[in-house]
Amino acid sequence: VALKRSVATLANDGEFAAFSCCEGTDPEPWVQEAENYIRVRALRRSDHCLAFRDAGELVAVSAFSASTLAFPFAEPEDHEVWHLDVVGLTLTRQRRGHSGEVFLSTFAAMREIDPGRDAVTAIAHKDHAASLRACESAGLERLVPIDDSYWRLFGRLR
Amino acid sequence: MALTDMPRRVYRTPTGNLSNREHALHIQEELPQTAARGVAVLDLSGKQFTPASLRALIGALGQGLRGGVYGDLKLVLVVTDDAVREFIALMAREYGWPIYVATSTDPRDVEEAEPVGGLTEAELETLREVQALGGWATVANLAALLDLEASAANNRLVNIERKGYLYRFKRPRRAGDLFIDPRTRQEAFVPPAAGADAPQTREALLSSGIRTNPYAQRRVELDSDAAERAKQILRGERSKRK
């Protein structure tokens, strides 16, 4: 069943504040961070937030912002892209093949908002296997390690 | 007026040629001379200056800010010319004037405006953290996030406020004074009352010793292999790595 995508605004604050994508009492910090961001900051901080629903129930969230990819050395140029701030699925929808749908639908929304931005960056923790797998399935590849913890991923919008 | 209300107004001047010193100085007369807090975004993009007219304008603005002529106003200058931007930064740093410089009047760009007048690396880091916290901080939550002694966190916030880059709101001792970043968009602000028990952005990461900020990604600079591979991706070339 295809999830229904809609734009989320501060009017959805209550729903987002209760969103849960974190399992157990002692989750990994990078998973907890994603949930915290969705609950408290995504609607205020990210340029665009999307809500994905099944029969009216909020089951997934994505958020993204405009970004500039700069190549400052040798033929300096800038390229306008999107940065995927967060993607989260509720616990009941995890490991059921929905992440690909959420990514592709998010990419479609990106193209609708600005057809000129044809690529997307993301950041994922090196030990967050599910996140890395989901990103790579959606066409983002590990571009460069940011530090000891995180990878920068990058890909063309599908 | 709510605690977090910071009226913001964009000031534009129709005159494109500001090479005349008197014309340039005329701009500063537009700014309100008031004690109320607020943010003035002065759009200087596309204006033509001579070194003398630019120095006169920035000097008048900087001295006015430092001397309290504009009350508790915070100033963001919008500049698109790199040389003008550098000149403003040099003057602000030299004289310690509290000036932010942005690339456009768009609220998102104002939120990213650079504080150019004489902040230390530690103070710049603190300002970034205040933004990441949602545009406000108390001594207690900054100390917890940066793993600092309360006295060190207090010194950082108070010094930045004294230099003119933060607002400080007195509150009862138990709650702790509130320090607010004037660049923050109203809609991006997480009200302290609502956020008191809410998780803080990056709280989970910082408490695990991870300093990466996954959200400050407005501009990403790539070089060497990463730049080359990114260009290949943009050209639609598939990865050869397997």
Side-chain angles (χ1 to χ4, degrees):
Chain A
V1 178
L3 302 178
K4 190 175 176 196
R5 182 185 86 208
S6 61
V7 172
T9 68
L10 275 174
N12 302 99
D13 205 14
E15 267 185 313
F16 273 52
F19 188 84
S20 178
C21 58
C22 226
E23 204 166 14
T25 53
D26 189 21
E28 299 290 1
W30 45 90
V31 181
Q32 180 73 62
E33 173 60 25
E35 182 178 279
N36 289 350
Y37 186 78
I38 291 169
R39 287 183 169 189
V40 182
R41 302 292 294 141
L43 289 169
R44 296 175 172 83
R45 197 82 193 168
S46 294
D47 292 353
H48 305 279
C49 287
L50 300 175
F52 295 85
R53 298 175 194 280
D54 184 5
E57 179 196 358
L58 182 67
V59 296
V61 164
S62 69
F64 53 96
S65 302
S67 179
T68 301
L69 206 58
F71 307 103
F73 307 109
E75 302 173 49
E77 61 177 292
D78 287 356
H79 198 89
E80 301 305 316
V81 299
W82 292 110
H83 178 70
L84 189 57
D85 291 316
V86 73
V87 172
L89 279 77
T90 56
L91 292 171
T92 56
R93 301 301 171 125
Q94 292 176 10
R95 302 185 191 90
R96 291 176 58 183
H98 287 298
S99 68
E101 181 185 348
V102 173
F103 270 84
L104 292 182
S105 187
T106 300
F107 293 172
M110 289 173 174
R111 280 194 300 270
E112 288 166 17
I113 292 167
D114 184 352
R117 292 179 193 267
D118 58 355
V120 59
T121 69
I123 289 179
H125 195 275
K126 65 181 175 57
D127 295 329
H128 197 338
S131 177
L132 289 168
R133 203 164 44 239
C135 285
E136 288 172 343
S137 296
L140 307 189
E141 70 173 60
R142 292 178 217 196
L143 189 64
V144 62
I146 294 176
D147 52 25
D148 292 341
S149 305
Y150 278 87
W151 274 97
R152 180 177 307 289
L153 297 104
F154 182 59
R156 290 279 296 268
L157 290 183
R158 284 185 174 180
Chain B
M1 183 187 263
L3 188 63
T4 56
D5 278 351
M6 283 173 290
R8 181 179 295 186
R9 186 175 159 194
V10 177
Y11 294 85
R12 294 188 172 88
T13 177
T15 313
N17 187 346
L18 296 173
S19 53
N20 179 296
R21 185 177 178 277
E22 300 310 316
H23 291 168
L25 279 172
H26 184 65
I27 292 177
Q28 50 128 3
E29 294 167 12
E30 300 288 319
L31 297 182
Q33 300 191 357
T34 166
R37 63 179 179 263
V39 182
V41 180
L42 184 55
D43 188 359
L44 300 179
S45 55
K47 306 299 178 197
Q48 293 173 356
F49 293 97
T50 61
S53 69
L54 183 58
R55 186 182 63 179
L57 173 62
I58 302 306
L61 291 170
Q63 286 168 1
L65 288 166
R66 183 50 72 205
V69 170
Y70 308 113
D72 211 1
L73 193 75
K74 306 298 182 195
L75 180 65
V76 178
L77 298 180
V78 174
V79 174
T80 47
D81 185 300
D82 285 345
V84 173
R85 181 188 185 87
E86 193 173 341
F87 188 92
I88 293 170
L90 285 170
M91 286 191 75
R93 205 158 41 239
E94 176 68 20
Y95 297 107
W97 294 332
I99 294 174
Y100 285 104
V101 177
T103 53
S104 88
T105 57
D106 184 304
R108 293 177 197 283
D109 287 330
V110 170
E111 200 166 63
E112 308 250 317
E114 181 188 358
V116 291
L119 293 181
T120 65
E121 265 310 309
E123 289 165 347
L124 289 170
E125 180 198 26
T126 305
L127 263 187
R128 285 192 290 271
E129 295 298 336
V130 173
Q131 277 214 312
L133 280 166
W136 63 272
T138 62
V139 168
N141 70 2
L142 185 75
L145 280 175
L146 292 181
D147 197 19
L148 295 171
E149 294 291 331
S151 56
N154 182 68
N155 287 343
R156 284 199 191 188
L157 288 169
V158 168
N159 285 341
I160 298 170
E161 186 265 334
R162 283 185 183 151
K163 288 183 178 181
Y165 289 99
L166 287 174
Y167 279 120
R168 180 180 187 171
F169 295 95
K170 295 279 186 188
R171 297 198 304 178
R173 190 183 179 90
R174 193 172 204 169
D177 288 356
L178 196 61
F179 294 84
I180 293 183
D181 186 329
R183 295 171 295 174
T184 311
R185 285 173 291 140
Q186 197 65 36
E187 62 271 28
F189 201 91
V190 180
D197 298 320
Q200 301 291 345
T201 305
R202 297 174 61 215
E203 182 179 80
L205 297 180
L206 289 165
S207 64
S208 300
I210 300 171
R211 307 278 302 178
T212 311
N213 182 351
Y215 312 114
Q217 303 296 321
R218 290 287 177 189
R219 184 175 177 84
V220 176
E221 295 198 345
L222 296 175
D223 58 17
S224 57
D225 290 350
E228 192 51 44
R229 180 60 196 139
K231 287 182 178 179
Q232 289 173 354
I233 291 170
L234 289 169
R235 290 194 296 266
E237 295 175 24
R238 290 180 178 279
S239 173
K240 290 171 190 155
R241 302 181 219 163
K242 278 287 168 196

